[in-house]
Amino acid sequence: MKAIEYVKHRFLIADHGSTISTEVVAGTTTFLSIAYIFIINPSLLGTTGLDQQMVLVATIVISALATIFMGLFANAPLVLAPGMEMNSYFVFILVGYRGFDPYSALGIVFWCGVLFLIANVTNLRVRLINEFPDTLKSSFSVAMGVFLVVVGLKIGGVILYDDHLLLSGFGVLRGPEFWMFALSVSLVYLLDGIVNVRGGILVSVILTFIVSHLAGWIQASGSATLPVDVAHSFKISPNLGVLTSGSAIAALLTLFVIDFFGSIAKVSSMTKETYLDVTGESNSLKRALYVDGAATTAGALLGTSNVTIYVESHVAIRQGARTGLSSVVCGAMMLAVLPFSKWLSLVPVTVAAGVLVYVGILIISSTKSPLISAGIQEKATVFIMAILILGTLSLDKAILVGLISSVVSNIKSPNPLSRVLVVSTILLACAVWTSWV
């Protein structure tokens, strides 16, 4: 009984109108909803040359610890893991197009986490939140979602890109690659979108893998042995001296923008029924963003891409979670996955292409509200950003278009010109320009 009373007091459960049983059930359900990342993240990052099983262990450990710490430190019902939009940018842009080796790309991720922490410690966080219009922040999130959809279509062979990452046409809509994609999209939409099966995304990935293997579309590869010494998995060393070129700085600023405002947009859309205040003054929000930034920094040192707050957190909130106890429960279940990681490392990324498309659509739908009532210029800007991403897979240029449009709107308005907005636009423009030349 003393333990139960301690838990109630520690997480202020009664004060937030929740119960221990509600928090436990919500945490368990959220774990089932997010567990797919333990398959997809290592599969994606493994294509860059990083050891897939090392990335898998790093993904499990940093996700679990960050989620548990979110519950204990911020008392917020939010879960964290390497972001789908972040790992796709890491693989296809930083390593695949910009030519960074994976260790230099991890160095960029590390400094992104540091910049995130600096913004949170100083009043820059408050100014960024308050001075960037809601429509601009939402456009960033929509851009992330579109990017994820496009990456899924690319992996599925539906659309093709040349060596310069310019859209070159459509793929052959038949054959094993396409059938895997079609099966993946169909299963994830059916199980998670229509039937609402708990853990539907995870189940869809597993079923796609099984059916694809039985049909002969893929062959399982890799070793099914977990390293005896798990600490050996933490020997991936990022290159922390990477910020010596315009391309690296552009990548850093892009990662920061999509990570920081992606977190704000997701939290704001998911926590309307909770005590979290997204205006930038809430102590709980400050602590949540501290955890977010620290997790990205630590994740890079362990060997994975940006760790961020997940939209699947809304599963816990929808189930009635109002405190960090649900996060602690979810994080503990993540750690329990570690002994089974030997099987997860066998799944190739091709079976998850449909999931990338589906999650991208979820991100778009969860953050689009401010854009519905926006003016013609804002809607046209988002459309241009989406077309730019589709045509060039360029998230940094799309974000720059959004910033420039917002500056133009700010100039035309009677309100004082936001110096933070202007400086941010100039910095990203210079970085993008330098990366071209």
Side-chain angles (χ1 to χ4, degrees):
M1 292 297 293
K2 288 185 178 179
I4 293 177
E5 290 302 319
Y6 172 77
V7 170
K8 289 181 178 179
H9 177 72
R10 173 66 178 77
F11 293 99
L12 304 175
I13 290 177
D15 293 350
H16 295 304
S18 186
T19 64
I20 290 180
S21 60
T22 297
E23 299 289 325
V24 171
V25 171
T28 304
T29 305
T30 306
F31 165 75
L32 293 174
S33 300
I34 199 176
Y36 67 88
I37 193 61
F38 301 137
I39 295 176
I40 296 177
N41 193 58
S43 297
L44 268 174
L45 267 61
T47 62
T48 67
L50 293 174
D51 185 280
Q52 185 169 330
Q53 198 160 52
M54 289 184 179
V55 174
L56 173 57
V57 173
T59 301
I60 294 172
V61 171
I62 193 60
S63 301
L65 296 182
T67 300
I68 291 172
F69 198 55
M70 177 67 77
L72 295 175
F73 182 64
N75 196 24
L78 303 172
V79 296
L80 298 94
M84 296 279 279
E85 64 275 22
M86 308 299 183
N87 54 28
S88 297
Y89 186 81
F90 183 102
V91 171
F92 293 100
I93 304 301
L94 293 187
V95 178
Y97 179 61
R98 297 297 183 193
F100 292 104
D101 64 82
Y103 305 99
S104 295
L106 286 174
I108 295 173
V109 172
F110 173 85
W111 290 115
C112 177
V114 172
L115 187 58
F116 199 118
L117 288 173
I118 292 173
N120 205 37
V121 170
T122 65
N123 66 348
L124 178 61
R125 172 186 54 80
V126 176
R127 295 193 64 180
L128 285 171
I129 293 173
N130 292 338
E131 294 190 27
F132 275 40
D134 288 341
T135 52
L136 179 61
K137 288 181 280 192
S138 290
S139 71
F140 291 158
S141 295
V142 170
M144 287 189 295
V146 171
F147 179 74
L148 212 52
V149 170
V150 171
V151 167
L153 293 174
K154 180 180 183 297
I155 294 175
V158 177
I159 54 178
L160 303 176
Y161 290 84
D162 61 21
D163 293 338
H164 301 288
L165 282 188
L166 297 176
L167 183 65
S168 60
F170 294 97
V172 178
L173 302 184
R174 60 179 181 271
E177 191 177 55
F178 174 73
W179 295 124
M180 275 192 291
F181 173 78
L183 178 63
S184 177
V185 170
S186 301
L187 284 175
V188 71
Y189 180 69
L190 173 66
L191 295 176
D192 192 76
I194 298 178
V195 183
N196 270 330
V197 173
R198 290 185 178 181
I201 296 178
L202 175 63
V203 174
S204 73
V205 173
I206 295 173
L207 288 178
T208 301
F209 173 71
I210 293 173
V211 173
S212 299
H213 185 61
L214 293 176
W217 297 338
I218 58 172
Q219 297 294 325
S221 60
S223 171
T225 58
L226 182 69
V228 176
D229 182 10
V230 175
H232 175 72
S233 297
F234 301 142
K235 291 186 177 180
I236 297 177
S237 301
N239 174 17
L240 302 184
V242 66
L243 298 181
T244 57
S245 66
S247 183
I249 295 173
L252 170 64
L253 293 177
T254 300
L255 279 176
F256 172 74
V257 166
I258 62 179
D259 195 359
F260 187 84
F261 287 110
S263 296
I264 294 298
K266 283 180 278 189
V267 171
S268 64
S269 66
M270 293 184 296
T271 57
K272 293 177 181 178
E273 299 176 2
T274 73
Y275 56 93
L276 285 175
D277 171 24
V278 296
T279 62
E281 304 299 334
S282 166
N283 190 50
S284 295
L285 177 62
K286 291 179 184 178
R287 292 187 173 191
L289 295 179
Y290 273 129
V291 176
D292 196 326
T296 289
T297 304
L301 294 175
L302 293 179
T304 188
S305 52
N306 294 60
V307 178
T308 188
I309 296 168
Y310 255 63
V311 292
E312 280 76 10
S313 299
H314 85 281
V315 172
I317 295 171
R318 193 171 57 192
Q319 296 253 326
R322 295 294 181 268
T323 76
L325 179 58
S326 65
S327 298
V328 173
V329 171
C330 182
M333 289 188 167
M334 290 176 177
L335 283 178
V337 172
L338 201 55
F340 306 99
S341 61
K342 57 184 178 180
W343 291 288
L344 298 181
S345 63
L346 299 179
V347 181
V349 69
T350 49
V351 304
V355 172
L356 293 174
V357 172
Y358 182 72
V359 173
I361 293 172
L362 286 182
I363 292 176
I364 294 171
S365 62
S366 68
T367 56
K368 68 182 180 181
S369 298
L371 295 171
I372 295 176
S373 58
I376 296 297
Q377 178 180 329
E378 288 81 2
K379 291 178 178 176
T381 299
V382 173
F383 178 75
I384 293 171
M385 292 169 69
I387 294 298
L388 189 59
I389 292 170
L390 175 62
T392 66
L393 260 182
S394 181
L395 194 53
D396 51 358
K397 299 180 186 67
I399 289 175
L400 179 58
V401 168
L403 286 170
I404 293 174
S405 175
S406 188
V407 169
V408 172
S409 296
N410 198 196
I411 292 174
K412 294 191 299 183
S413 74
N415 300 321
L417 188 63
S418 169
R419 287 180 293 178
V420 172
L421 181 60
V422 172
V423 171
S424 300
T425 305
I426 293 173
L427 285 176
L428 185 57
C430 291
V432 169
W433 172 257
T434 306
S435 69
W436 285 349
V437 299

